[in-house]
Amino acid sequence: MKQHAHHHHAHHDESGLADMLDLDAQVFSSYLDEVTDWVRRHAPEAPRKVADVGAGTGAGGLALARAFTAAEIVAIDQSPVMLDRLRAAAYEQGVGDRLSVVRADLDSGWPPIDALDVAWASSSLHHVADPDRVLRDIRAALNPGGLLAVIEMDALPRFLPDDIGLGRPGLEARCHEAAARADWNAHPDWRPHLEAAGFAVVAQHSFTAEAGPASPSARRYGHTVLNRFRSALGDRLAADDLDTLDRLLADDHPASLRNRRDLTVRAVRTAWAALRP
């Protein structure tokens, strides 16, 4: 299970993926606070145990720790790289005593965790082999009245205007089209799956997260994402688009991301809130 990853990330690149997840959390910190506040409004009162399913480097789990200040947080992921970063970040933020990590591959079964009041699965369910089974496992682990929040990125983040004054207009749109053909970030509407697993979907909401003008973190984030387009989609993009990407990614080029004043960050994510009856 490659939690909190897009389909194209290779196992050997866990450190690079972890860097990108950390940058995403920095750039969209206000979004995290907004979505966890939304989750809190639908959660049972005073939850005692909260699970981050597919925790990655822990942005969601740490936001949950801030939202539910009396709860024990359990972070589940299969990557020791991710869990090590999460544990270190938890102690840096003063919540290490309330957070435990569980290394588990959800394709092999649900770990021995039960009596949950809230479960959170952000950009993780679409990476498991049998998400319907995992949803049933989460339902079984939740107390009656417990909440599952599922969050997905509707599209990959955008950074640039259509015409960047370099190459053909529409570069980023073509990168996104190539990524879609490669099934990056593909996920279904989770409502029917949640209902089939026995949940009652009580709310659905789209969150738009924007950051601009671009901070140094946003520029690093943009560089990381566009570099992944360049390295993973090289055989799906035209030669002139690859050349434009090379110029954007080259620190010594006048049009590089480092020098651009028109770089912003925008992402849209959808959340489903589902209760165990």
Side-chain angles (χ1 to χ4, degrees), residues 39 51 53 117-121 125 134-135 138-139 142 146-150 194 199 272-276:
V39 169
V53 182
D117 298 302
V118 176
W120 159 288
L125 282 179
V134 174
L135 286 172
I138 295 172
R139 183 188 183 279
L142 282 166
L147 174 75
L148 168 62
V150 177
L194 288 162
F199 286 96
W272 293 262
L275 294 176
R276 174 181 175 174

Side-chain angles (χ1 to χ4, degrees), residues 39-40 42-44 47-53 64 68 72 74 115-120 138 142-143 146-149:
V39 169
R40 184 172 51 192
H42 296 288
R48 291 174 296 177
K49 194 167 186 177
V50 177
D52 184 359
V53 182
L64 292 167
F68 301 108
E72 174 192 355
V74 181
L116 297 173
D117 298 302
V118 176
W120 159 288
I138 295 172
L142 282 166
N143 289 317
L147 174 75
L148 168 62

Side-chain angles (χ1 to χ4, degrees), residues 92-161:
E92 286 176 5
Q93 296 186 26
V95 296
D97 59 334
R98 289 198 291 123
L99 185 140
S100 59
V101 301
V102 175
R103 185 181 179 190
D105 181 350
L106 295 186
D107 284 338
S108 299
W110 185 253
I113 300 168
D114 54 16
L116 297 173
D117 298 302
V118 176
W120 159 288
S122 178
S123 298
S124 56
L125 282 179
H126 66 266
H127 292 293
V128 299
D130 188 354
D132 293 315
R133 192 218 82 222
V134 174
L135 286 172
R136 293 192 298 270
D137 289 345
I138 295 172
R139 183 188 183 279
L142 282 166
N143 289 317
L147 174 75
L148 168 62
V150 177
I151 300 96
E152 290 284 8
M153 191 181 294
D154 287 4
L156 298 174
R158 289 188 176 273
F159 302 93
L160 298 167

Side-chain angles (χ1 to χ4, degrees), residues 63-243:
L64 292 167
R66 294 191 296 270
F68 301 108
T69 56
E72 174 192 355
I73 311 297
V74 181
I76 306 168
D77 204 287
Q78 75 161 359
S79 165
V81 172
M82 302 292 181
L83 293 176
D84 285 348
R85 286 210 189 188
L86 194 162
R87 190 183 291 108
Y91 278 101
E92 286 176 5
Q93 296 186 26
V95 296
D97 59 334
R98 289 198 291 123
L99 185 140
S100 59
V101 301
V102 175
R103 185 181 179 190
D105 181 350
L106 295 186
D107 284 338
S108 299
W110 185 253
I113 300 168
D114 54 16
L116 297 173
D117 298 302
V118 176
W120 159 288
S122 178
S123 298
S124 56
L125 282 179
H126 66 266
H127 292 293
V128 299
D130 188 354
D132 293 315
R133 192 218 82 222
V134 174
L135 286 172
R136 293 192 298 270
D137 289 345
I138 295 172
R139 183 188 183 279
L142 282 166
N143 289 317
L147 174 75
L148 168 62
V150 177
I151 300 96
E152 290 284 8
M153 191 181 294
D154 287 4
L156 298 174
R158 289 188 176 273
F159 302 93
L160 298 167
D162 185 65
D163 188 349
I164 61 173
L166 185 69
R168 284 181 292 145
L171 168 68
E172 199 166 29
R174 289 190 294 277
C175 288
H176 282 230
E177 290 164 3
R181 290 194 298 272
D183 287 333
W184 288 17
N185 208 54
H187 65 82
D189 174 2
W190 287 112
R191 177 181 289 268
H193 295 266
L194 288 162
E195 292 172 344
F199 286 96
V201 179
V202 294
Q204 180 175 333
H205 188 74
S206 289
F207 296 85
T208 298
E210 297 189 51
S215 65
S217 292
R219 291 184 183 279
R220 290 195 300 273
Y221 186 42
H223 191 282
T224 300
V225 173
L226 292 179
N227 188 55
R228 287 186 178 276
F229 286 151
R230 177 64 178 87
S231 60
L233 299 174
D235 59 345
R236 295 175 180 264
L237 294 170
D240 63 327
D241 283 341
L242 295 176
D243 180 66

